[in-house]
Amino acid sequence: MPPDALPAQAEIVIAGGGVIGLATALELLKRDRDVLIVERSRPGAGASAVAAGLLAPTAEADLAEPRLIDFALDSLRRYPAFVAEIERISGRRCELRDQGSLWPAFTAGDEAKLDEMAAQHQRRGIASRRLTAEELRAREPHLAAEARSGLHVTDDLRLDPRRLLRSLTGAVRERGGKIRSGYTVREVVLKGGAVQALRTADDAGRDHTVRCEVAVLAAGAWATASLRSPLTAAVVRPVKGQIVRPVKGQIVRLRGAVLIQHTLRTPGIYLVPRDDGELIIGGTIEERGFDQAPTAGAVAGLLDRAGAVVPAIGDLTISELSVGLRPALPDYLPAIGPAGADGFYAAVGHFRSGILLAPATAHYLAEAIAGGAVPSALDSLSPDRLGGESAPAPLPGTIAEAAR
């Protein structure tokens, strides 16, 4: 059989080779299951590879939303062991760093928001500390002189998602997992209310069917775009014709002198440093469907906001403009668990937090599949909540709305 040909059958087939699909595959392989990943492009080619790698639960969600915050904090706690195991199996580094995140304040309003964040952190047991202007500048000398004070969220982590994806791909293959690229899953085939097979199409449009006992939908923004599954039958009135929809995000990558050591956050921008001198600036939130073209307005807005935080970025060079399509459900929470048919599971809608939520998603989903019982940690994120109409909520916590 040619290396890239689909096998006729596999015990478990995962539709989607991003960070969620890869991490779930590895967890299932650790439980001695036979796993095949089917990916429309190549492993990690979607939103996972564009992500900045900011592992900060309280930066990307409203602290009042316990369903996401508790799950995200759970996932963050799993990250050191998750990365250590992947690095051990694959022999590749993921560049996990634990300096935390810094939030500089430039106005009295900013300072009031940081006071509120610090108080909420304290109530939830999240480690953070307010900093004076002098303490802030001692940590980051290149910050703009207008910075009045700051907040250090000490438990936040960061890593390089592209390194993570390469390591995860290698670890899956080392553990015996099969990955096939260039196949788009078209339909989850059922018989008697249970999963029987996945029907796919290759790049030439030829149909291929893989028999399986379990199917996992982890196809990111494309999860319901052109794929018939029990999930797509669950919602009466999908958003814009889909249950999972793409939300465009743009990122600018710069190179040059190392200017910062910590991840820097403000309500309008984030800056994430890499060990090799790269600086990631993001990120917009735009309703543009499947459009993946970088735009001058978004880039200009990101650079302008970043320059107000670290003026010296003007001396760096632009190395890449990246666009990712974040998979969003109407309530902006992921759907993880059994989804409407025996043997069918969803792991979709992770929106801006796919990298962060990967360890917990993979662990609990593998427990549900291999153990036969759904862990209580997934109760509030069940795909069952998607039944009925699905009018979208307003976009939460917009960082830089370059669509305007």
Side-chain angles (χ1 to χ4, degrees), residues 84-103:
E85 182 173 43
I86 292 167
E87 291 180 339
R88 178 183 59 79
I89 296 172
S90 69
R92 295 172 177 265
R93 306 293 292 175
C94 298
E95 199 179 292
L96 183 66
R97 298 292 178 262
D98 62 359
Q99 290 95 336
S101 299
L102 289 179
W103 289 74

Side-chain angles (χ1 to χ4, degrees), residues 126-145:
I126 297 167
S128 67
R129 187 170 78 86
R130 290 289 268 119
L131 302 176
T132 66
E134 292 74 20
E135 290 174 321
L136 184 64
R137 197 153 284 105
R139 287 167 170 77
E140 295 294 354
H142 289 283
L143 271 173

Side-chain angles (χ1 to χ4, degrees), residues 50-224:
V50 178
L54 173 61
L55 307 177
T58 62
E60 295 286 25
D62 185 347
L63 279 170
E65 177 47 81
R67 287 179 295 174
L68 186 57
I69 290 298
D70 290 344
F71 194 75
L73 290 171
D74 180 335
S75 201
L76 183 70
R77 287 190 289 269
R78 295 176 183 277
Y79 240 102
F82 173 70
V83 165
E85 182 173 43
I86 292 167
E87 291 180 339
R88 178 183 59 79
I89 296 172
S90 69
R92 295 172 177 265
R93 306 293 292 175
C94 298
E95 199 179 292
L96 183 66
R97 298 292 178 262
D98 62 359
Q99 290 95 336
S101 299
L102 289 179
W103 289 74
F106 293 92
T107 67
D110 289 345
E111 292 190 299
K113 289 177 182 177
L114 294 190
D115 288 339
E116 182 181 351
M117 284 180 63
Q120 292 190 69
H121 288 165
Q122 185 175 18
R123 287 194 293 271
R124 294 193 64 89
I126 297 167
S128 67
R129 187 170 78 86
R130 290 289 268 119
L131 302 176
T132 66
E134 292 74 20
E135 290 174 321
L136 184 64
R137 197 153 284 105
R139 287 167 170 77
E140 295 294 354
H142 289 283
L143 271 173
E146 293 80 7
R148 300 161 54 122
S149 65
L151 178 70
H152 186 197
V153 187
T154 54
D155 287 345
D156 286 351
L157 304 174
R158 73 171 191 265
L159 53 63
D160 184 339
R162 294 179 177 181
R163 289 176 179 267
L164 173 66
L165 290 162
R166 289 193 293 268
S167 299
L168 260 175
T169 301
V172 167
R173 287 178 168 140
E174 282 291 324
R175 291 299 298 256
K178 298 177 285 293
I179 302 174
R180 297 294 183 266
S181 299
Y183 295 90
T184 300
V185 177
R186 297 298 188 194
E187 182 181 7
V188 178
V189 181
L190 304 180
K191 183 177 182 180
V195 169
Q196 182 184 48
L198 260 68
R199 184 176 65 81
T200 76
D202 62 25
D203 289 341
R206 296 182 293 259
D207 283 346
H208 303 265
T209 299
V210 182
R211 296 190 302 278
C212 60
E213 299 172 18
V214 173
V216 179
L217 180 61
W222 286 267
T224 59

Side-chain angles (χ1 to χ4, degrees), residues 211-253:
R211 296 190 302 278
C212 60
E213 299 172 18
V214 173
V216 179
L217 180 61
W222 286 267
T224 59
S226 58
L227 192 163
R228 291 198 299 272
S229 77
L231 187 66
T232 56
V235 175
V236 174
R237 191 175 300 167
V239 178
K240 298 183 178 179
Q242 301 176 61
I243 300 169
V244 181
R245 76 184 194 282
V247 178
K248 182 178 180 179
Q250 302 192 46
I251 281 180
V252 180
R253 296 173 184 268

